[in-house]
Amino acid sequence: MICDNTRVTGTTLPPGVTRVLREGGIVKFGLRLADGAEVESVVVPMRERAPGRQRASLCVSTQVGCRMGCAFCATARMGLGRNLEPEEILAQVSAARSLGAKPTNITFMGMGEPLDNFDRWAASVRLLIDLPAGLAVAMNRMTVSTCGLVPGLDRLAELNWRRVTLAVSLNAPNDAIRSRLMPVNRKHPMAELKEALLRHPLRRGVFMAEYVLLAGINDRPEHADELAEYLAPFRAAVNLIPYNGVKGAEGFEPPARAAVELFQGRLRQAGRHAVVRETKGRGIEAACGQLTGSTARPPSSMV
Ligand code: SF4
């Protein structure tokens, strides 16, 4: 499945790993697959609850590229190359471990839309929980993120995997803005998505609403009010992600700090739990929406 060792500036990387980039504790690596395709994965250190305990989350890819076409996303520019096999999803976990990381949590938020590769993604979850003790990852340490593919959400609901956390990339407070940013919304508008979420067996009744803030497009206070109204029936927590900047994505700018704070404040006023996610790994293009699997960048050092 994975190619032979790749030598980079005199250092041997683990099998299949093409490059490793590090920034402030974040580790991004590329993994070449047997057919030459490449995916990217990101290790993100997590806040430690107990002294001396180290936790890290591994963001894995489920597809080579993505066909969902979100306007602000670097992966979308690749189109869909192909779906990853369950073993190829698992290989990213093995590669992270061989680089010295010990991921305790898995987020299916890398390249691709997991629910667009539903059967293989679900098989990878089963493989992860069935790994030997010490390597296995429990379902309650997994998060799957979707752009709102309603048929996939319904299939997930049938599995009744309540312990897997659901994250939904909303990114807009209404259909007009969302359809502009996310083509999936033209097929499954927000009302349909809301219905799917209402019938979904959510973990503790909660889902994570992901919201990339784009200056002048979806970051106004009235948008926050509209978003709060949309989320009113749910115990959803909102992750606000100031736009990271993506090469080739024209017409998008990062929001002003004041706009981010105002947006967060309005959500909180409405009784909504809202946090601003730090823009981690921006310099190495490891932040949300920046993964591409490109081989164009020069390789860096080994971890
Ligand atoms: S944001 Fe996610 S679903 Fe949308 S194009 Fe990018 S990888 Fe695909």
Side-chain angles (χ1 to χ4, degrees):
M1 194 62 64
I2 306 299
C3 295
D4 292 333
N5 278 8
T6 305
R7 279 195 171 270
V8 179
T9 58
T11 306
T12 302
L13 293 172
V17 175
T18 55
R19 65 189 183 285
V20 180
L21 301 165
R22 310 186 74 183
E23 182 185 279
I26 308 281
V27 180
K28 178 171 93 163
F29 60 90
L31 187 64
R32 192 172 310 284
L33 308 172
D35 63 353
E38 186 178 335
V39 290
E40 292 185 331
S41 320
V42 183
V43 181
V44 183
M46 296 171 73
R47 219 173 275 150
E48 292 166 34
R49 286 182 190 155
R53 193 163 167 233
Q54 288 197 334
R55 296 193 309 144
S57 177
L58 176 65
C59 178
V60 297
S61 297
T62 52
Q63 295 178 313
V64 179
C66 184
R67 63 174 176 156
M68 294 297 127
C70 301
F72 49 83
C73 172
T75 311
R77 268 147 196 78
M78 301 170 68
L80 177 63
R82 67 173 174 86
N83 289 316
L84 292 191
E85 296 298 327
E87 295 78 9
E88 292 173 320
I89 298 172
L90 235 68
Q92 296 166 66
V93 182
S94 306
R97 288 192 175 121
S98 64
L99 288 167
K102 291 180 183 151
T104 50
N105 294 53
I106 303 291
T107 57
F108 297 93
M109 288 187 178
M111 294 161 61
E113 160 60 51
L115 303 188
D116 190 39
N117 184 18
F118 192 93
D119 291 327
R120 295 177 186 86
W121 166 74
S124 76
V125 170
R126 294 188 184 97
L127 288 173
L128 279 165
I129 58 179
D130 283 345
L131 286 172
L135 297 176
V137 181
M139 269 188 178
N140 62 4
R141 294 191 177 277
M142 297 185 198
T143 299
V144 62
S145 176
T146 178
C147 64
L149 265 188
V150 169
L153 272 170
D154 285 342
R155 289 192 67 191
L156 183 57
E158 280 168 28
L159 290 178
N160 201 21
W161 285 353
R162 284 174 188 268
R163 285 181 298 147
V164 175
T165 299
L166 179 68
V168 179
S169 248
L170 274 182
N171 305 320
N174 58 50
D175 280 329
I177 298 175
R178 195 163 195 266
S179 290
R180 177 181 160 196
L181 298 175
M182 304 177 73
V184 68
N185 197 71
R186 295 173 209 153
K187 195 163 184 193
H188 304 293
M190 290 179 78
E192 188 186 338
L193 176 58
K194 183 186 266 188
E195 288 303 315
L197 290 168
L198 283 170
R199 60 180 177 259
H200 199 86
L202 296 165
R203 181 181 177 190
R204 299 193 194 110
V206 179
F207 76 91
M208 308 296 297
E210 308 285 319
Y211 196 103
V212 175
L213 285 160
L214 304 156
I217 293 176
N218 65 358
D219 67 339
R220 289 200 277 271
E222 58 269 29
H223 295 150
D225 297 342
E226 213 177 343
L227 177 66
E229 202 179 317
Y230 181 79
L231 294 174
F234 304 104
R235 291 179 60 212
V238 183
N239 276 331
L240 297 171
I241 307 155
Y243 176 63
N244 290 309
V246 167
K247 283 180 201 138
E250 305 300 331
F252 299 114
E253 296 292 335
R257 173 51 54 187
V260 174
E261 286 170 7
L262 189 55
F263 198 98
Q264 182 186 29
R266 290 288 269 259
L267 286 174
R268 286 182 170 173
Q269 269 173 29
R272 187 63 47 191
H273 181 67
V275 294
V276 178
R277 276 227 317 244
E278 285 174 63
T279 311
K280 292 176 176 172
R282 191 176 187 157
I284 56 173
E285 296 184 346
C288 188
Q290 291 188 320
L291 303 187
T292 60
S294 162
T295 54
R297 287 183 297 282
S300 177
S301 60
M302 194 172 168
V303 171

